């Protein structure tokens, strides 16, 4: 029995390579067709070239709207969703005043499930279809997020936070219990459906060397898991880290000595890295998650994208809610552009978008599954209205009058002025999981 085929008409856009490596880095069809069956991409191309191959297939017409792969958030704290935008001075004060008290509530499975569901639906409303999220120290928090994501067949990456020092007693585990709980969660959830487990020591201040080693031991036992932690976010954090590890010459060495710097390790922030640390990260294949709204909000500093690009470190963009101030990766791209402007680097919209789609998928070794519209990829995609606001429409009219309206200017406008209002629909594994009230698409048979 043949599986049903679904057709989506609109402007089709996706990356096929990095804009840092080639100008011919993307595919774009101004009147395109996306063909989906069994939750996967069958093909894409020009509407007129493809439409006659699928007589009788269901057609959803998003003409004039942009169809592109779903956005990927590589660093976000789902338990902090409700404490977004809290005044808290800088990082360490903010953790103690807001983060830790908030996270204590996640020992309650019903509470954890409620926040997880709100979080996942907010991701969809903002066009994010995959994320690498921190849970809390509680197993219940991990179970809740994986369970909710599974309801939507979403590709979810998360794990239990490991903390055995310098945190409230209600949020600390031990070296032994942290490893035991993590192993149990890995066995329960990793690679079950689209779930992937991330071993998660919060950062070296809250984990002893022994706990960091136990995290590395877990990764050695389950080598297709991931590792996530924080690195060089704040100067006081760096000073505190080195005072706890005086044998180390820099922050990265703390993780290197434990065996946590791998090609499946994602380090959040990385603002104050030396060239030596950058080179060692690049050699290991480690990944940076750049979190501009958080770095600005907490006054942590300005990440140097030019340095990362020069040394060829895999770099992604991330929201870092609740230090970050929005779950919108469009807003995150806008702030990243401004940060790099202050560093003297005018970052293109193609680089920004790549680092939220195919670039992140490649860094996470998931580009055979997500991040593009290549044949066989999982059909996680979004429908973007590039003219969702009067400001964007006025901008388009101006550019058209002056002969400067093109794809790059269109995308840059959404990056600079866009937010959740630009997301008309979100699909996960070929299924509609979010539809904006503003959407008036048409569904017909071919």
């Amino acid at each position: 029995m043949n599986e049903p085929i679904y057709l989506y008409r609109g402007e089709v856009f996706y990356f096929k390579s990095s804009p840092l490596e080639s100008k011919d880095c993307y595919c774009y069809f101004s009147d395109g067709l996306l063909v989906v069956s069994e939750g996967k991409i069958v093909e894409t191309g020009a509407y007129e070239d493809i439409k006659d191959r699928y007589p009788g297939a269901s057609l959803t017409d998003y003409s004039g709207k942009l169809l592109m792969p779903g956005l990927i958030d590589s660093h976000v704290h789902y338990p902090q969703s409700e404490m977004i935008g809290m005044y808290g001075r800088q990082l360490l004060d903010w953790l103690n005043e807001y983060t830790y008290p908030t996270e204590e509530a996640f020992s309650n499975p019903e509470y954890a499930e409620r926040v997880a569901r709100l979080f996942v639906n907010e991701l969809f409303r903002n066009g994010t279809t995959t994320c690498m999220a921190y849970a809390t120290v509680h197993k219940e928090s991990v179970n809740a997020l994986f369970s909710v994501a599974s309801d939507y067949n979403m590709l979810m990456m998360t794990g239990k936070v490991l903390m055995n020092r310098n945190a409230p007693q209600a949020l600390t585990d031990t070296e032994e219990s942290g490893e035991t709980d993590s192993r149990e969660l890995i066995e329960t959830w990793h690679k079950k459906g689209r779930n992937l487990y991330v071993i998660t020591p919060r950062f070296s201040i809250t984990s002893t060397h022994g706990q960091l080693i136990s995290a590395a031991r877990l990764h050695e036992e389950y080598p297709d898991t991931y590792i996530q932690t924080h690195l060089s976010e704040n100067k006081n954090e760096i000073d505190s880290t080195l005072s706890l590890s005086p044998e180390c010459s820099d922050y990265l060495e703390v993780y290197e000595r434990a065996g946590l710097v791998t090609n499946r390790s994602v380090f959040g922030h990385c603002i104050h890295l030396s060239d030596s640390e950058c080179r060692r990260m690049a050699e290991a294949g480690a990944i940076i998650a750049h979190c501009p709204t958080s770095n600005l909000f907490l006054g942590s500093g300005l990440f140097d994208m030019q340095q990362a690009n020069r040394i060829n470190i895999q770099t992604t963009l991330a929201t870092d809610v609740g230090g970050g101030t929005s779950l919108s990766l469009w807003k995150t791209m806008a702030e990243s552009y401004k940060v790099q402007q202050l560093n003297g680097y005018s970052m293109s919209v193609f680089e920004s978008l790549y680092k939220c789609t195919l670039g992140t998928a490649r860094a996470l070794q998931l580009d055979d599954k997500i991040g593009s519209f290549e044949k066989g990829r999982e059909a996680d995609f979004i429908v973007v209205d590039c003219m969702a606001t009067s400001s964007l429409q006025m901008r388009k009219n101006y550019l058209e009058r002056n002969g400067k309206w093109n794809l790059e200017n269109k995308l840059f406008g959404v990056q600079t002025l866009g937010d959740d209002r630009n997301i008309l629909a979100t699909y996960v594994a070929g299924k509609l999981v979010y539809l904006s009230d503003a959407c008036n698409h048409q569904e017909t048979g071919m």
Side-chain angles (χ1 to χ4, degrees):
M1 180 179 175
N2 293 330
E3 293 296 326
I5 290 174
Y6 302 93
L7 309 178
Y8 301 90
R9 185 180 185 180
E11 298 180 40
V12 175
F13 170 83
Y14 64 97
F15 288 100
K16 55 184 181 178
S17 62
S18 168
L20 297 175
E21 298 167 359
S22 169
K23 290 185 178 179
D24 182 28
C25 62
Y26 62 85
C27 291
Y28 174 67
F29 302 95
S30 58
D31 183 12
L33 199 63
L34 181 65
V35 184
V36 174
S37 183
E38 297 185 85
K40 294 189 176 181
I41 305 298
V42 176
E43 67 172 323
T44 60
Y47 174 76
E48 289 297 331
D49 294 343
I50 294 179
K51 65 182 178 68
D52 293 337
R53 296 180 201 167
Y54 303 99
S58 170
L59 172 68
T60 303
D61 194 343
Y62 291 115
S63 292
K65 306 300 186 287
L66 189 72
L67 305 179
M68 60 172 285
L71 304 174
I72 307 169
D73 191 343
S74 56
H75 181 107
V76 60
H77 297 257
Y78 102 83
Q80 297 176 20
S81 299
E82 63 185 337
M83 49 167 283
I84 190 171
M86 296 293 188
Y87 175 75
R89 297 175 294 279
Q90 293 202 339
L91 174 67
L92 299 181
D93 304 310
W94 183 82
L95 285 172
N96 288 314
E97 188 166 347
Y98 295 110
T99 303
Y100 293 154
T102 298
E103 292 190 358
E104 288 183 16
F106 284 78
S107 61
N108 181 315
E110 289 78 18
Y111 181 83
E113 193 274 342
R114 181 172 66 82
V115 176
R117 194 163 298 280
L118 289 168
F119 169 75
V120 165
N121 281 288
E122 279 297 291
L123 291 181
F124 295 157
R125 193 169 65 83
N126 283 283
T128 299
T129 53
T130 292
C131 76
M132 181 177 280
Y134 285 64
T136 70
V137 73
H138 313 99
K139 288 191 296 182
E140 294 86 352
S141 69
V142 180
N143 289 329
L145 188 54
F146 274 138
S147 179
V148 169
S150 297
D151 289 345
Y152 299 98
N153 199 18
M154 178 189 189
L155 200 165
M156 175 58 69
M157 311 171 77
T158 191
K160 173 195 133 53
V161 168
L162 300 167
M163 293 199 294
N164 68 343
R165 67 175 179 183
N166 296 325
Q169 186 174 358
L171 289 178
T172 55
D173 52 18
T174 66
E175 192 177 308
E176 294 75 18
S177 70
E179 184 170 346
T180 298
D181 288 349
S182 296
R183 182 176 288 104
E184 179 185 317
L185 289 163
I186 291 168
E187 293 286 347
T188 301
W189 291 108
H190 184 55
K191 301 183 81 171
K192 305 296 169 49
R194 300 181 75 195
N195 297 309
L196 297 171
Y197 196 84
V198 190
I199 297 162
T200 307
R202 183 178 224 113
F203 62 165
S204 64
I205 290 176
T206 52
S207 287
T208 60
H209 183 62
Q211 184 165 69
L212 296 179
I213 288 174
S214 77
R217 186 164 55 240
L218 276 169
H219 182 62
E220 187 174 348
E221 185 178 344
Y222 302 95
D224 56 1
T225 58
Y226 294 83
I227 298 164
Q228 64 180 349
T229 191
H230 297 80
L231 173 64
S232 294
E233 178 177 0
N234 171 283
K235 290 183 177 179
N236 289 335
E237 170 214 5
I238 297 169
D239 291 343
S240 296
T241 297
L242 294 179
S243 71
L244 291 166
S245 303
E247 72 282 3
C248 295
S249 60
D250 56 39
Y251 196 160
L252 184 64
E253 188 179 343
V254 177
Y255 296 129
E256 288 173 325
R257 283 177 177 247
L260 290 172
V261 184
T262 77
N263 65 354
R264 298 177 77 87
S265 301
V266 179
F267 293 94
H269 305 289
C270 301
I271 302 169
H272 307 288
L273 295 181
S274 65
D275 273 4
S276 170
E277 288 173 295
C278 286
R279 283 193 299 271
R280 283 144 50 204
M281 288 186 72
E283 288 165 4
I287 303 153
I288 291 174
H290 168 40
C291 310
T293 71
S294 173
N295 299 160
L296 294 170
F297 182 69
L298 294 175
S300 300
L302 306 178
F303 175 76
D304 190 344
M305 189 68 77
Q306 279 184 294
Q307 179 192 45
N309 289 347
R310 183 180 70 250
I311 298 175
N312 201 28
I313 306 175
Q314 300 182 96
T315 308
T316 63
L317 298 184
T319 65
D320 191 35
V321 164
T325 53
S326 175
L327 282 172
S328 170
L329 278 163
W330 294 110
K331 286 190 171 183
T332 301
M333 287 183 260
E335 296 308 295
S336 179
Y337 175 81
K338 296 171 192 174
V339 167
Q340 300 319 313
Q341 284 286 80
L342 290 171
N343 284 332
Y345 175 50
S346 297
M347 187 173 174
S348 79
V349 66
F350 292 124
E351 181 180 347
S352 300
L353 261 179
Y354 176 77
K355 288 176 175 176
C356 293
T357 53
L358 180 60
T360 302
R362 282 184 168 178
L364 297 174
Q365 302 175 46
L366 292 171
D367 52 308
D368 62 331
K369 295 180 172 63
I370 59 174
S372 81
F373 287 155
E374 298 289 346
K375 183 178 179 179
R377 302 306 185 271
E378 292 161 356
D380 295 348
F381 65 97
I382 57 177
V383 182
V384 182
D385 181 359
C386 297
M387 299 299 113
T389 65
S390 57
S391 293
L392 283 165
Q393 185 62 57
M394 282 195 296
R395 180 179 177 277
K396 176 190 178 183
N397 294 342
Y398 168 82
L399 288 166
E400 283 183 328
R401 287 198 310 272
N402 288 276
K404 294 182 179 180
W405 182 243
N406 56 31
L407 177 63
E408 184 172 6
N409 266 327
K410 178 187 290 189
L411 294 173
F412 188 76
V414 182
Q415 172 186 282
T416 305
L417 303 173
D419 52 35
D420 58 284
R421 290 171 294 176
N422 295 87
I423 307 300
L424 286 187
T426 301
Y427 290 78
V428 167
K431 300 293 184 184
L432 182 68
V433 295
Y434 168 74
L435 187 67
S436 166
D437 292 340
C439 192
N440 57 359
H441 68 289
Q442 295 182 346
E443 295 186 22
T444 62
M446 288 290 287

